[in-house]
Amino acid sequence: MEKHRYGFVFAFSIVISLGLISFISCIVAEFKRAKWKDMRLVGKLCYLPGSPAYGFGLAAIICLSIAQIAGNLVICRISYSREKGSIRKAKRPKNTTTLLVLSWVSFGIAAILLGVATSMSRKQPYGKGWSRGECYLVKNGVFIGSGVLVMVNVGAIIRIALMTIKKTKVEQEIEGHAQVG
């Protein structure tokens, strides 16, 4: 377990870093999103220039997705680690399951919010708009709300990993005492 510890620390430092990058990108996107004053109307046709929020939103989605996948892969690696050629079945306590569900739900909602808000931040030309030829603006707080969900997601992943590592250490100590005695 000692040689794997550094790998887990490295992996989770990447997960935390990606989560922070995603969170910061969400905050910056909130301030860089298109405003009402940016919209141009010609009769019933509207035009909305692209905003820098598109790039920040895209970065947030990518970083969040990589953090979610990497975090869950490492958690699975910890939970189902091989010892002495056999696979040890991991017990799934309610706390871990609840946090895992919270992680995936917050990831799903954040990804949907970020995807829609990012898509709406692209250029919306006259007569094309975002949907059915109409221009749409991202509402206040959508990117910030996504950022909060990103932090909930990363926090849940890290908490699951810590609980799983602690449980694995306790099991190894019990096995070590049983073999000595």
Side-chain angles (χ1 to χ4, degrees):
M1 182 71 181
E2 186 67 35
K3 70 178 184 176
H4 295 296
R5 181 179 298 166
Y6 297 113
F8 295 139
V9 169
F10 178 72
F12 280 107
S13 64
I14 289 175
V15 170
I16 291 169
S17 298
L18 288 171
L20 286 173
I21 291 169
S22 182
F23 175 74
I24 291 167
S25 295
C26 288
I27 300 302
V28 173
E30 179 69 29
F31 293 109
K32 298 286 186 179
R33 66 183 172 73
K35 311 282 190 288
W36 195 217
K37 65 179 179 160
D38 298 331
M39 188 180 294
R40 306 280 182 256
L41 294 172
V42 175
K44 291 186 176 186
L45 299 177
C46 63
Y47 170 80
L48 194 62
S51 73
Y54 176 75
F56 289 108
L58 195 58
I61 291 172
I62 292 169
C63 289
L64 174 63
S65 298
I66 294 171
Q68 177 72 8
I69 292 167
N72 279 276
L73 286 175
V74 174
I75 289 169
C76 287
R77 173 76 171 117
I78 295 168
S79 296
Y80 298 103
S81 62
R82 294 179 186 257
E83 290 182 14
K84 298 180 185 175
S86 65
I87 298 175
R88 178 175 39 90
K89 289 188 178 182
K91 295 179 183 175
R92 293 179 190 89
K94 290 180 183 178
N95 294 345
T96 306
T97 304
T98 303
L99 285 172
L100 190 62
V101 169
L102 175 67
S103 166
W104 279 101
V105 168
S106 63
F107 168 75
I109 294 170
I112 290 169
L113 284 174
L114 281 170
V116 171
T118 300
S119 174
M120 290 169 68
S121 297
R122 292 186 77 175
K123 181 179 178 180
Q124 299 177 36
Y126 288 110
K128 303 279 184 191
W130 184 72
S131 175
R132 290 184 236 127
E134 297 177 13
C135 292
Y136 287 87
L137 289 171
V138 179
K139 288 198 171 242
N140 293 340
V142 171
F143 283 112
I144 289 178
S146 299
V148 170
L149 288 170
V150 165
M151 295 312 291
V152 167
N153 175 272
V154 172
I157 289 172
I158 298 304
R159 181 67 183 140
I160 294 167
L162 292 175
M163 289 169 55
T164 308
I165 288 172
K166 183 178 178 183
K167 183 173 177 124
T168 304
K169 273 185 163 181
V170 169
E171 288 174 354
Q172 286 177 350
E173 287 177 9
I174 292 170
E175 285 178 11
H177 290 301
Q179 289 175 358
V180 171

